[in-house]
Amino acid sequence: MKLMTVGTLRGGAGATTVAAMAAEALVGQGARVLLLDACPENMLRLFFPIAYEAQDGWAHAPQVWTEQAFEVQERLVLCPFGQPADGAQALNADAAVEFWMQSLPRLAPEFDWVIADIGVIGPGSASWRRTAFMDLIVLNPDIGTHVRMGQSSLLAPGSRLLINQFDPARKLSADLVLDWRVRYADQLLPVFVHRDEALHEALAKRMTIADYMPRSAAALDFSALAVWALAQPRLEQPC
């Protein structure tokens, strides 16, 4: 069983989207996947046909997380973060990480991959990333991300960088990608996720891109990402 963490250096880069679509793409390659929302924002569930008002999730009842999970399609189980009931509190970050670090080894008979959406990377993400088979950082090719990367100490040697929402017609984006190919040659994935309106349309319908438009650029990109991930050996620990 392999743990993939999906995070980002700044909000809005699309880490949650990548986590959801990468999980679906791995299932398309025959893998059994647990998709885990590790963010209190509890947004991962919105990529699947789960009621908006649903409060189910592992964070306020971790010991019975299987009762809070959804089998959203064959071989794909989603475990939302959840929304605590009135007066209840979600598990604190340290306790949450400790719970999953103890639980993950027991999941090997049931799942080939666990994909954890860890959101914006910070000190609380270190334990997740240190345990990961693959630590994926999602980047938008824009100047804000470029500056953030230059100032960040979070791009550890074992992290892998995925460019999301790439539009080759945007000259600045193309120039930044060329620069990143030089600066981060050993970490930058050969796979990009292109900017594709079909993906936004799929999310509006609460469908995966593979179901909504399987021959779209985004669907093919995520399929390529899954094939790449399946071919990887265990890399240097990211943190």
Side-chain angles (χ1 to χ4, degrees), residues 165-203:
Q165 300 187 35
F166 176 61
D167 183 351
R170 296 184 173 184
K171 188 177 185 306
L172 179 59
S173 293
D175 289 345
L176 287 173
V177 170
L178 287 174
D179 182 84
W180 293 353
R181 284 187 183 276
V182 175
R183 292 176 187 264
Y184 311 106
D186 295 335
Q187 296 177 268
L188 196 64
L189 267 65
V191 178
F192 294 176
V193 178
H194 290 80
R195 188 179 183 88
D196 187 349
E197 278 303 308
L199 181 58
H200 298 285
E201 294 170 9
L203 298 182

PDB file of all heavy atoms in Angstrom, residues 165-203:
ATOM      1  N   GLN A 165      -3.131  23.413 -14.398  1.00  0.00           N
ATOM      2  CA  GLN A 165      -3.746  24.527 -15.124  1.00  0.00           C
ATOM      3  C   GLN A 165      -2.747  25.196 -16.071  1.00  0.00           C
ATOM      4  O   GLN A 165      -2.677  26.415 -16.170  1.00  0.00           O
ATOM      5  CB  GLN A 165      -4.331  25.550 -14.139  1.00  0.00           C
ATOM      6  CG  GLN A 165      -5.410  24.972 -13.231  1.00  0.00           C
ATOM      7  CD  GLN A 165      -6.094  26.020 -12.381  1.00  0.00           C
ATOM      8  OE1 GLN A 165      -6.302  27.161 -12.815  1.00  0.00           O
ATOM      9  NE2 GLN A 165      -6.460  25.660 -11.168  1.00  0.00           N
ATOM     10  N   PHE A 166      -1.988  24.376 -16.753  1.00  0.00           N
ATOM     11  CA  PHE A 166      -0.997  24.905 -17.698  1.00  0.00           C
ATOM     12  C   PHE A 166      -1.670  25.269 -19.022  1.00  0.00           C
ATOM     13  O   PHE A 166      -2.416  24.486 -19.597  1.00  0.00           O
ATOM     14  CB  PHE A 166       0.096  23.871 -17.953  1.00  0.00           C
ATOM     15  CG  PHE A 166       1.110  24.309 -18.980  1.00  0.00           C
ATOM     16  CD1 PHE A 166       1.884  25.438 -18.774  1.00  0.00           C
ATOM     17  CD2 PHE A 166       1.278  23.590 -20.164  1.00  0.00           C
ATOM     18  CE1 PHE A 166       2.819  25.846 -19.712  1.00  0.00           C
ATOM     19  CE2 PHE A 166       2.213  23.981 -21.102  1.00  0.00           C
ATOM     20  CZ  PHE A 166       2.984  25.114 -20.884  1.00  0.00           C
ATOM     21  N   ASP A 167      -1.392  26.480 -19.493  1.00  0.00           N
ATOM     22  CA  ASP A 167      -1.903  26.954 -20.775  1.00  0.00           C
ATOM     23  C   ASP A 167      -0.712  27.429 -21.599  1.00  0.00           C
ATOM     24  O   ASP A 167      -0.162  28.500 -21.338  1.00  0.00           O
ATOM     25  CB  ASP A 167      -2.900  28.095 -20.564  1.00  0.00           C
ATOM     26  CG  ASP A 167      -3.525  28.579 -21.869  1.00  0.00           C
ATOM     27  OD1 ASP A 167      -3.069  28.143 -22.951  1.00  0.00           O
ATOM     28  OD2 ASP A 167      -4.466  29.389 -21.803  1.00  0.00           O
ATOM     29  N   PRO A 168      -0.279  26.645 -22.591  1.00  0.00           N
ATOM     30  CA  PRO A 168       0.904  27.021 -23.369  1.00  0.00           C
ATOM     31  C   PRO A 168       0.737  28.308 -24.157  1.00  0.00           C
ATOM     32  O   PRO A 168       1.726  28.903 -24.603  1.00  0.00           O
ATOM     33  CB  PRO A 168       1.113  25.815 -24.293  1.00  0.00           C
ATOM     34  CG  PRO A 168      -0.219  25.152 -24.372  1.00  0.00           C
ATOM     35  CD  PRO A 168      -0.869  25.380 -23.046  1.00  0.00           C
ATOM     36  N   ALA A 169      -0.517  28.768 -24.333  1.00  0.00           N
ATOM     37  CA  ALA A 169      -0.742  30.016 -25.057  1.00  0.00           C
ATOM     38  C   ALA A 169      -0.401  31.235 -24.208  1.00  0.00           C
ATOM     39  O   ALA A 169      -0.255  32.339 -24.741  1.00  0.00           O
ATOM     40  CB  ALA A 169      -2.198  30.102 -25.521  1.00  0.00           C
ATOM     41  N   ARG A 170      -0.261  31.060 -22.911  1.00  0.00           N
ATOM     42  CA  ARG A 170       0.110  32.157 -22.027  1.00  0.00           C
ATOM     43  C   ARG A 170       1.629  32.216 -21.941  1.00  0.00           C
ATOM     44  O   ARG A 170       2.263  31.327 -21.368  1.00  0.00           O
ATOM     45  CB  ARG A 170      -0.502  31.957 -20.645  1.00  0.00           C
ATOM     46  CG  ARG A 170      -2.019  31.998 -20.652  1.00  0.00           C
ATOM     47  CD  ARG A 170      -2.584  31.889 -19.250  1.00  0.00           C
ATOM     48  NE  ARG A 170      -4.025  32.084 -19.232  1.00  0.00           N
ATOM     49  CZ  ARG A 170      -4.764  32.115 -18.132  1.00  0.00           C
ATOM     50  NH1 ARG A 170      -4.169  31.960 -16.947  1.00  0.00           N
ATOM     51  NH2 ARG A 170      -6.069  32.294 -18.203  1.00  0.00           N
ATOM     52  N   LYS A 171       2.204  33.256 -22.505  1.00  0.00           N
ATOM     53  CA  LYS A 171       3.662  33.323 -22.630  1.00  0.00           C
ATOM     54  C   LYS A 171       4.362  33.269 -21.271  1.00  0.00           C
ATOM     55  O   LYS A 171       5.388  32.578 -21.112  1.00  0.00           O
ATOM     56  CB  LYS A 171       4.076  34.589 -23.376  1.00  0.00           C
ATOM     57  CG  LYS A 171       5.572  34.635 -23.703  1.00  0.00           C
ATOM     58  CD  LYS A 171       5.932  35.856 -24.503  1.00  0.00           C
ATOM     59  CE  LYS A 171       7.395  35.827 -24.920  1.00  0.00           C
ATOM     60  NZ  LYS A 171       8.323  35.639 -23.789  1.00  0.00           N
ATOM     61  N   LEU A 172       3.832  33.981 -20.285  1.00  0.00           N
ATOM     62  CA  LEU A 172       4.475  33.967 -18.979  1.00  0.00           C
ATOM     63  C   LEU A 172       4.483  32.560 -18.396  1.00  0.00           C
ATOM     64  O   LEU A 172       5.485  32.116 -17.825  1.00  0.00           O
ATOM     65  CB  LEU A 172       3.770  34.932 -18.025  1.00  0.00           C
ATOM     66  CG  LEU A 172       4.339  34.985 -16.604  1.00  0.00           C
ATOM     67  CD1 LEU A 172       5.812  35.392 -16.611  1.00  0.00           C
ATOM     68  CD2 LEU A 172       3.526  35.928 -15.722  1.00  0.00           C
ATOM     69  N   SER A 173       3.369  31.851 -18.537  1.00  0.00           N
ATOM     70  CA  SER A 173       3.308  30.483 -18.025  1.00  0.00           C
ATOM     71  C   SER A 173       4.338  29.599 -18.708  1.00  0.00           C
ATOM     72  O   SER A 173       5.044  28.821 -18.053  1.00  0.00           O
ATOM     73  CB  SER A 173       1.906  29.900 -18.224  1.00  0.00           C
ATOM     74  OG  SER A 173       0.956  30.578 -17.426  1.00  0.00           O
ATOM     75  N   ALA A 174       4.432  29.728 -20.025  1.00  0.00           N
ATOM     76  CA  ALA A 174       5.407  28.926 -20.762  1.00  0.00           C
ATOM     77  C   ALA A 174       6.830  29.265 -20.340  1.00  0.00           C
ATOM     78  O   ALA A 174       7.675  28.364 -20.185  1.00  0.00           O
ATOM     79  CB  ALA A 174       5.214  29.140 -22.266  1.00  0.00           C
ATOM     80  N   ASP A 175       7.102  30.553 -20.125  1.00  0.00           N
ATOM     81  CA  ASP A 175       8.443  30.966 -19.698  1.00  0.00           C
ATOM     82  C   ASP A 175       8.771  30.429 -18.302  1.00  0.00           C
ATOM     83  O   ASP A 175       9.900  29.993 -18.043  1.00  0.00           O
ATOM     84  CB  ASP A 175       8.551  32.488 -19.701  1.00  0.00           C
ATOM     85  CG  ASP A 175       8.566  33.071 -21.105  1.00  0.00           C
ATOM     86  OD1 ASP A 175       8.771  32.295 -22.064  1.00  0.00           O
ATOM     87  OD2 ASP A 175       8.376  34.302 -21.242  1.00  0.00           O
ATOM     88  N   LEU A 176       7.793  30.474 -17.395  1.00  0.00           N
ATOM     89  CA  LEU A 176       8.024  29.968 -16.053  1.00  0.00           C
ATOM     90  C   LEU A 176       8.311  28.467 -16.067  1.00  0.00           C
ATOM     91  O   LEU A 176       9.196  27.979 -15.348  1.00  0.00           O
ATOM     92  CB  LEU A 176       6.806  30.253 -15.163  1.00  0.00           C
ATOM     93  CG  LEU A 176       6.610  31.708 -14.745  1.00  0.00           C
ATOM     94  CD1 LEU A 176       5.278  31.872 -14.025  1.00  0.00           C
ATOM     95  CD2 LEU A 176       7.750  32.182 -13.863  1.00  0.00           C
ATOM     96  N   VAL A 177       7.580  27.740 -16.892  1.00  0.00           N
ATOM     97  CA  VAL A 177       7.809  26.297 -16.976  1.00  0.00           C
ATOM     98  C   VAL A 177       9.215  26.008 -17.492  1.00  0.00           C
ATOM     99  O   VAL A 177       9.899  25.102 -16.991  1.00  0.00           O
ATOM    100  CB  VAL A 177       6.739  25.639 -17.859  1.00  0.00           C
ATOM    101  CG1 VAL A 177       7.105  24.189 -18.164  1.00  0.00           C
ATOM    102  CG2 VAL A 177       5.381  25.703 -17.171  1.00  0.00           C
ATOM    103  N   LEU A 178       9.674  26.762 -18.455  1.00  0.00           N
ATOM    104  CA  LEU A 178      11.041  26.581 -18.952  1.00  0.00           C
ATOM    105  C   LEU A 178      12.056  26.843 -17.834  1.00  0.00           C
ATOM    106  O   LEU A 178      13.046  26.111 -17.687  1.00  0.00           O
ATOM    107  CB  LEU A 178      11.300  27.516 -20.129  1.00  0.00           C
ATOM    108  CG  LEU A 178      10.616  27.154 -21.450  1.00  0.00           C
ATOM    109  CD1 LEU A 178      10.853  28.242 -22.491  1.00  0.00           C
ATOM    110  CD2 LEU A 178      11.124  25.812 -21.969  1.00  0.00           C
ATOM    111  N   ASP A 179      11.811  27.893 -17.056  1.00  0.00           N
ATOM    112  CA  ASP A 179      12.697  28.200 -15.934  1.00  0.00           C
ATOM    113  C   ASP A 179      12.681  27.075 -14.904  1.00  0.00           C
ATOM    114  O   ASP A 179      13.728  26.651 -14.391  1.00  0.00           O
ATOM    115  CB  ASP A 179      12.278  29.514 -15.297  1.00  0.00           C
ATOM    116  CG  ASP A 179      13.185  29.914 -14.143  1.00  0.00           C
ATOM    117  OD1 ASP A 179      14.240  30.511 -14.412  1.00  0.00           O
ATOM    118  OD2 ASP A 179      12.841  29.608 -12.980  1.00  0.00           O
ATOM    119  N   TRP A 180      11.492  26.558 -14.593  1.00  0.00           N
ATOM    120  CA  TRP A 180      11.370  25.492 -13.593  1.00  0.00           C
ATOM    121  C   TRP A 180      12.026  24.208 -14.071  1.00  0.00           C
ATOM    122  O   TRP A 180      12.531  23.434 -13.259  1.00  0.00           O
ATOM    123  CB  TRP A 180       9.899  25.254 -13.258  1.00  0.00           C
ATOM    124  CG  TRP A 180       9.253  26.408 -12.554  1.00  0.00           C
ATOM    125  CD1 TRP A 180       9.871  27.537 -12.083  1.00  0.00           C
ATOM    126  CD2 TRP A 180       7.869  26.554 -12.262  1.00  0.00           C
ATOM    127  NE1 TRP A 180       8.949  28.378 -11.523  1.00  0.00           N
ATOM    128  CE2 TRP A 180       7.714  27.813 -11.609  1.00  0.00           C
ATOM    129  CE3 TRP A 180       6.740  25.779 -12.491  1.00  0.00           C
ATOM    130  CZ2 TRP A 180       6.469  28.269 -11.179  1.00  0.00           C
ATOM    131  CZ3 TRP A 180       5.506  26.227 -12.074  1.00  0.00           C
ATOM    132  CH2 TRP A 180       5.363  27.459 -11.414  1.00  0.00           C
ATOM    133  N   ARG A 181      12.010  23.973 -15.372  1.00  0.00           N
ATOM    134  CA  ARG A 181      12.674  22.775 -15.902  1.00  0.00           C
ATOM    135  C   ARG A 181      14.162  22.780 -15.574  1.00  0.00           C
ATOM    136  O   ARG A 181      14.776  21.738 -15.372  1.00  0.00           O
ATOM    137  CB  ARG A 181      12.480  22.690 -17.415  1.00  0.00           C
ATOM    138  CG  ARG A 181      11.102  22.225 -17.860  1.00  0.00           C
ATOM    139  CD  ARG A 181      11.091  22.028 -19.364  1.00  0.00           C
ATOM    140  NE  ARG A 181       9.788  21.659 -19.876  1.00  0.00           N
ATOM    141  CZ  ARG A 181       9.314  20.409 -19.891  1.00  0.00           C
ATOM    142  NH1 ARG A 181      10.066  19.424 -19.418  1.00  0.00           N
ATOM    143  NH2 ARG A 181       8.122  20.149 -20.385  1.00  0.00           N
ATOM    144  N   VAL A 182      14.745  23.974 -15.539  1.00  0.00           N
ATOM    145  CA  VAL A 182      16.166  24.102 -15.210  1.00  0.00           C
ATOM    146  C   VAL A 182      16.373  24.052 -13.698  1.00  0.00           C
ATOM    147  O   VAL A 182      17.220  23.308 -13.188  1.00  0.00           O
ATOM    148  CB  VAL A 182      16.746  25.406 -15.790  1.00  0.00           C
ATOM    149  CG1 VAL A 182      18.188  25.600 -15.352  1.00  0.00           C
ATOM    150  CG2 VAL A 182      16.634  25.394 -17.310  1.00  0.00           C
ATOM    151  N   ARG A 183      15.583  24.834 -12.970  1.00  0.00           N
ATOM    152  CA  ARG A 183      15.763  24.941 -11.517  1.00  0.00           C
ATOM    153  C   ARG A 183      15.405  23.645 -10.783  1.00  0.00           C
ATOM    154  O   ARG A 183      16.038  23.286  -9.785  1.00  0.00           O
ATOM    155  CB  ARG A 183      14.897  26.073 -10.955  1.00  0.00           C
ATOM    156  CG  ARG A 183      15.328  27.467 -11.367  1.00  0.00           C
ATOM    157  CD  ARG A 183      14.339  28.482 -10.819  1.00  0.00           C
ATOM    158  NE  ARG A 183      14.597  29.819 -11.312  1.00  0.00           N
ATOM    159  CZ  ARG A 183      15.308  30.727 -10.654  1.00  0.00           C
ATOM    160  NH1 ARG A 183      15.810  30.446  -9.463  1.00  0.00           N
ATOM    161  NH2 ARG A 183      15.487  31.932 -11.163  1.00  0.00           N
ATOM    162  N   TYR A 184      14.347  22.996 -11.234  1.00  0.00           N
ATOM    163  CA  TYR A 184      13.815  21.850 -10.498  1.00  0.00           C
ATOM    164  C   TYR A 184      13.762  20.608 -11.391  1.00  0.00           C
ATOM    165  O   TYR A 184      12.819  19.821 -11.325  1.00  0.00           O
ATOM    166  CB  TYR A 184      12.415  22.177  -9.965  1.00  0.00           C
ATOM    167  CG  TYR A 184      12.345  23.498  -9.243  1.00  0.00           C
ATOM    168  CD1 TYR A 184      11.734  24.609  -9.836  1.00  0.00           C
ATOM    169  CD2 TYR A 184      12.908  23.658  -7.978  1.00  0.00           C
ATOM    170  CE1 TYR A 184      11.684  25.830  -9.179  1.00  0.00           C
ATOM    171  CE2 TYR A 184      12.865  24.873  -7.319  1.00  0.00           C
ATOM    172  CZ  TYR A 184      12.249  25.962  -7.922  1.00  0.00           C
ATOM    173  OH  TYR A 184      12.206  27.170  -7.270  1.00  0.00           O
ATOM    174  N   ALA A 185      14.800  20.425 -12.177  1.00  0.00           N
ATOM    175  CA  ALA A 185      14.798  19.382 -13.204  1.00  0.00           C
ATOM    176  C   ALA A 185      14.538  17.998 -12.632  1.00  0.00           C
ATOM    177  O   ALA A 185      13.833  17.179 -13.241  1.00  0.00           O
ATOM    178  CB  ALA A 185      16.122  19.402 -13.954  1.00  0.00           C
ATOM    179  N   ASP A 186      15.084  17.704 -11.467  1.00  0.00           N
ATOM    180  CA  ASP A 186      14.953  16.367 -10.891  1.00  0.00           C
ATOM    181  C   ASP A 186      13.622  16.144 -10.184  1.00  0.00           C
ATOM    182  O   ASP A 186      13.289  15.007  -9.836  1.00  0.00           O
ATOM    183  CB  ASP A 186      16.086  16.108  -9.892  1.00  0.00           C
ATOM    184  CG  ASP A 186      17.444  16.075 -10.566  1.00  0.00           C
ATOM    185  OD1 ASP A 186      17.496  15.771 -11.772  1.00  0.00           O
ATOM    186  OD2 ASP A 186      18.449  16.369  -9.883  1.00  0.00           O
ATOM    187  N   GLN A 187      12.880  17.218  -9.969  1.00  0.00           N
ATOM    188  CA  GLN A 187      11.640  17.108  -9.202  1.00  0.00           C
ATOM    189  C   GLN A 187      10.382  17.331 -10.040  1.00  0.00           C
ATOM    190  O   GLN A 187       9.306  16.877  -9.661  1.00  0.00           O
ATOM    191  CB  GLN A 187      11.654  18.119  -8.050  1.00  0.00           C
ATOM    192  CG  GLN A 187      12.734  17.858  -7.021  1.00  0.00           C
ATOM    193  CD  GLN A 187      12.745  18.917  -5.944  1.00  0.00           C
ATOM    194  OE1 GLN A 187      13.455  19.911  -6.041  1.00  0.00           O
ATOM    195  NE2 GLN A 187      11.953  18.729  -4.904  1.00  0.00           N
ATOM    196  N   LEU A 188      10.525  18.025 -11.154  1.00  0.00           N
ATOM    197  CA  LEU A 188       9.361  18.386 -11.960  1.00  0.00           C
ATOM    198  C   LEU A 188       8.858  17.165 -12.735  1.00  0.00           C
ATOM    199  O   LEU A 188       9.622  16.513 -13.440  1.00  0.00           O
ATOM    200  CB  LEU A 188       9.737  19.502 -12.929  1.00  0.00           C
ATOM    201  CG  LEU A 188       8.579  20.262 -13.584  1.00  0.00           C
ATOM    202  CD1 LEU A 188       7.766  21.021 -12.549  1.00  0.00           C
ATOM    203  CD2 LEU A 188       9.124  21.232 -14.638  1.00  0.00           C
ATOM    204  N   LEU A 189       7.579  16.870 -12.590  1.00  0.00           N
ATOM    205  CA  LEU A 189       7.006  15.728 -13.296  1.00  0.00           C
ATOM    206  C   LEU A 189       7.019  15.954 -14.805  1.00  0.00           C
ATOM    207  O   LEU A 189       6.845  17.090 -15.268  1.00  0.00           O
ATOM    208  CB  LEU A 189       5.566  15.487 -12.839  1.00  0.00           C
ATOM    209  CG  LEU A 189       5.369  14.486 -11.701  1.00  0.00           C
ATOM    210  CD1 LEU A 189       6.005  14.981 -10.428  1.00  0.00           C
ATOM    211  CD2 LEU A 189       3.889  14.196 -11.489  1.00  0.00           C
ATOM    212  N   PRO A 190       7.171  14.891 -15.578  1.00  0.00           N
ATOM    213  CA  PRO A 190       7.067  15.018 -17.036  1.00  0.00           C
ATOM    214  C   PRO A 190       5.624  15.199 -17.496  1.00  0.00           C
ATOM    215  O   PRO A 190       5.370  15.480 -18.662  1.00  0.00           O
ATOM    216  CB  PRO A 190       7.644  13.693 -17.535  1.00  0.00           C
ATOM    217  CG  PRO A 190       7.385  12.728 -16.426  1.00  0.00           C
ATOM    218  CD  PRO A 190       7.519  13.517 -15.162  1.00  0.00           C
ATOM    219  N   VAL A 191       4.690  15.032 -16.578  1.00  0.00           N
ATOM    220  CA  VAL A 191       3.255  15.145 -16.875  1.00  0.00           C
ATOM    221  C   VAL A 191       2.751  16.508 -16.392  1.00  0.00           C
ATOM    222  O   VAL A 191       3.046  16.920 -15.268  1.00  0.00           O
ATOM    223  CB  VAL A 191       2.471  14.034 -16.167  1.00  0.00           C
ATOM    224  CG1 VAL A 191       0.983  14.173 -16.422  1.00  0.00           C
ATOM    225  CG2 VAL A 191       2.984  12.663 -16.589  1.00  0.00           C
ATOM    226  N   PHE A 192       2.008  17.219 -17.240  1.00  0.00           N
ATOM    227  CA  PHE A 192       1.335  18.456 -16.855  1.00  0.00           C
ATOM    228  C   PHE A 192      -0.170  18.196 -16.851  1.00  0.00           C
ATOM    229  O   PHE A 192      -0.663  17.325 -17.557  1.00  0.00           O
ATOM    230  CB  PHE A 192       1.601  19.585 -17.851  1.00  0.00           C
ATOM    231  CG  PHE A 192       3.023  20.058 -17.930  1.00  0.00           C
ATOM    232  CD1 PHE A 192       3.386  21.025 -18.858  1.00  0.00           C
ATOM    233  CD2 PHE A 192       4.001  19.558 -17.099  1.00  0.00           C
ATOM    234  CE1 PHE A 192       4.693  21.473 -18.953  1.00  0.00           C
ATOM    235  CE2 PHE A 192       5.314  19.996 -17.168  1.00  0.00           C
ATOM    236  CZ  PHE A 192       5.657  20.955 -18.111  1.00  0.00           C
ATOM    237  N   VAL A 193      -0.898  18.994 -16.074  1.00  0.00           N
ATOM    238  CA  VAL A 193      -2.354  19.036 -16.188  1.00  0.00           C
ATOM    239  C   VAL A 193      -2.709  20.359 -16.851  1.00  0.00           C
ATOM    240  O   VAL A 193      -2.454  21.427 -16.297  1.00  0.00           O
ATOM    241  CB  VAL A 193      -3.046  18.920 -14.818  1.00  0.00           C
ATOM    242  CG1 VAL A 193      -4.568  19.022 -14.990  1.00  0.00           C
ATOM    243  CG2 VAL A 193      -2.677  17.598 -14.145  1.00  0.00           C
ATOM    244  N   HIS A 194      -3.243  20.278 -18.056  1.00  0.00           N
ATOM    245  CA  HIS A 194      -3.530  21.482 -18.828  1.00  0.00           C
ATOM    246  C   HIS A 194      -4.816  22.155 -18.351  1.00  0.00           C
ATOM    247  O   HIS A 194      -5.726  21.510 -17.804  1.00  0.00           O
ATOM    248  CB  HIS A 194      -3.665  21.138 -20.321  1.00  0.00           C
ATOM    249  CG  HIS A 194      -2.360  20.749 -20.952  1.00  0.00           C
ATOM    250  ND1 HIS A 194      -1.820  19.487 -20.817  1.00  0.00           N
ATOM    251  CD2 HIS A 194      -1.490  21.458 -21.711  1.00  0.00           C
ATOM    252  CE1 HIS A 194      -0.667  19.432 -21.480  1.00  0.00           C
ATOM    253  NE2 HIS A 194      -0.447  20.604 -22.020  1.00  0.00           N
ATOM    254  N   ARG A 195      -4.871  23.438 -18.559  1.00  0.00           N
ATOM    255  CA  ARG A 195      -6.090  24.197 -18.277  1.00  0.00           C
ATOM    256  C   ARG A 195      -7.170  23.718 -19.235  1.00  0.00           C
ATOM    257  O   ARG A 195      -6.977  23.718 -20.462  1.00  0.00           O
ATOM    258  CB  ARG A 195      -5.824  25.688 -18.476  1.00  0.00           C
ATOM    259  CG  ARG A 195      -6.950  26.598 -18.024  1.00  0.00           C
ATOM    260  CD  ARG A 195      -6.571  28.057 -18.249  1.00  0.00           C
ATOM    261  NE  ARG A 195      -7.584  28.962 -17.761  1.00  0.00           N
ATOM    262  CZ  ARG A 195      -7.640  29.428 -16.516  1.00  0.00           C
ATOM    263  NH1 ARG A 195      -6.716  29.083 -15.657  1.00  0.00           N
ATOM    264  NH2 ARG A 195      -8.592  30.248 -16.145  1.00  0.00           N
ATOM    265  N   ASP A 196      -8.312  23.300 -18.705  1.00  0.00           N
ATOM    266  CA  ASP A 196      -9.332  22.653 -19.533  1.00  0.00           C
ATOM    267  C   ASP A 196     -10.705  22.969 -18.952  1.00  0.00           C
ATOM    268  O   ASP A 196     -11.013  22.606 -17.810  1.00  0.00           O
ATOM    269  CB  ASP A 196      -9.093  21.138 -19.545  1.00  0.00           C
ATOM    270  CG  ASP A 196      -9.986  20.399 -20.512  1.00  0.00           C
ATOM    271  OD1 ASP A 196     -10.949  21.007 -21.031  1.00  0.00           O
ATOM    272  OD2 ASP A 196      -9.721  19.200 -20.751  1.00  0.00           O
ATOM    273  N   GLU A 197     -11.526  23.641 -19.739  1.00  0.00           N
ATOM    274  CA  GLU A 197     -12.868  23.998 -19.271  1.00  0.00           C
ATOM    275  C   GLU A 197     -13.709  22.766 -18.984  1.00  0.00           C
ATOM    276  O   GLU A 197     -14.631  22.813 -18.169  1.00  0.00           O
ATOM    277  CB  GLU A 197     -13.574  24.884 -20.299  1.00  0.00           C
ATOM    278  CG  GLU A 197     -13.195  26.351 -20.227  1.00  0.00           C
ATOM    279  CD  GLU A 197     -13.450  26.940 -18.842  1.00  0.00           C
ATOM    280  OE1 GLU A 197     -14.566  26.793 -18.317  1.00  0.00           O
ATOM    281  OE2 GLU A 197     -12.517  27.523 -18.275  1.00  0.00           O
ATOM    282  N   ALA A 198     -13.409  21.657 -19.656  1.00  0.00           N
ATOM    283  CA  ALA A 198     -14.176  20.436 -19.415  1.00  0.00           C
ATOM    284  C   ALA A 198     -14.076  20.002 -17.956  1.00  0.00           C
ATOM    285  O   ALA A 198     -15.030  19.441 -17.400  1.00  0.00           O
ATOM    286  CB  ALA A 198     -13.686  19.320 -20.335  1.00  0.00           C
ATOM    287  N   LEU A 199     -12.945  20.275 -17.320  1.00  0.00           N
ATOM    288  CA  LEU A 199     -12.786  19.906 -15.920  1.00  0.00           C
ATOM    289  C   LEU A 199     -13.725  20.718 -15.034  1.00  0.00           C
ATOM    290  O   LEU A 199     -14.369  20.177 -14.131  1.00  0.00           O
ATOM    291  CB  LEU A 199     -11.335  20.115 -15.490  1.00  0.00           C
ATOM    292  CG  LEU A 199     -10.998  19.758 -14.048  1.00  0.00           C
ATOM    293  CD1 LEU A 199     -11.319  18.304 -13.756  1.00  0.00           C
ATOM    294  CD2 LEU A 199      -9.531  20.045 -13.763  1.00  0.00           C
ATOM    295  N   HIS A 200     -13.838  22.013 -15.299  1.00  0.00           N
ATOM    296  CA  HIS A 200     -14.750  22.854 -14.517  1.00  0.00           C
ATOM    297  C   HIS A 200     -16.200  22.430 -14.738  1.00  0.00           C
ATOM    298  O   HIS A 200     -17.009  22.418 -13.800  1.00  0.00           O
ATOM    299  CB  HIS A 200     -14.558  24.321 -14.898  1.00  0.00           C
ATOM    300  CG  HIS A 200     -13.181  24.834 -14.616  1.00  0.00           C
ATOM    301  ND1 HIS A 200     -12.748  25.123 -13.344  1.00  0.00           N
ATOM    302  CD2 HIS A 200     -12.132  25.090 -15.431  1.00  0.00           C
ATOM    303  CE1 HIS A 200     -11.489  25.541 -13.382  1.00  0.00           C
ATOM    304  NE2 HIS A 200     -11.099  25.527 -14.635  1.00  0.00           N
ATOM    305  N   GLU A 201     -16.526  22.071 -15.970  1.00  0.00           N
ATOM    306  CA  GLU A 201     -17.883  21.606 -16.259  1.00  0.00           C
ATOM    307  C   GLU A 201     -18.178  20.300 -15.518  1.00  0.00           C
ATOM    308  O   GLU A 201     -19.280  20.113 -14.983  1.00  0.00           O
ATOM    309  CB  GLU A 201     -18.043  21.408 -17.764  1.00  0.00           C
ATOM    310  CG  GLU A 201     -17.958  22.698 -18.564  1.00  0.00           C
ATOM    311  CD  GLU A 201     -17.881  22.452 -20.068  1.00  0.00           C
ATOM    312  OE1 GLU A 201     -18.072  21.294 -20.488  1.00  0.00           O
ATOM    313  OE2 GLU A 201     -17.614  23.408 -20.811  1.00  0.00           O
ATOM    314  N   ALA A 202     -17.191  19.419 -15.469  1.00  0.00           N
ATOM    315  CA  ALA A 202     -17.372  18.155 -14.767  1.00  0.00           C
ATOM    316  C   ALA A 202     -17.612  18.393 -13.277  1.00  0.00           C
ATOM    317  O   ALA A 202     -18.497  17.774 -12.667  1.00  0.00           O
ATOM    318  CB  ALA A 202     -16.156  17.262 -14.971  1.00  0.00           C
ATOM    319  N   LEU A 203     -16.846  19.316 -12.700  1.00  0.00           N
ATOM    320  CA  LEU A 203     -17.005  19.602 -11.276  1.00  0.00           C
ATOM    321  C   LEU A 203     -18.371  20.222 -10.990  1.00  0.00           C
ATOM    322  O   LEU A 203     -18.968  19.960  -9.947  1.00  0.00           O
ATOM    323  CB  LEU A 203     -15.886  20.527 -10.809  1.00  0.00           C
ATOM    324  CG  LEU A 203     -14.460  19.967 -10.937  1.00  0.00           C
ATOM    325  CD1 LEU A 203     -13.441  20.957 -10.387  1.00  0.00           C
ATOM    326  CD2 LEU A 203     -14.335  18.634 -10.236  1.00  0.00           C
TER     327      LEU A 203
END
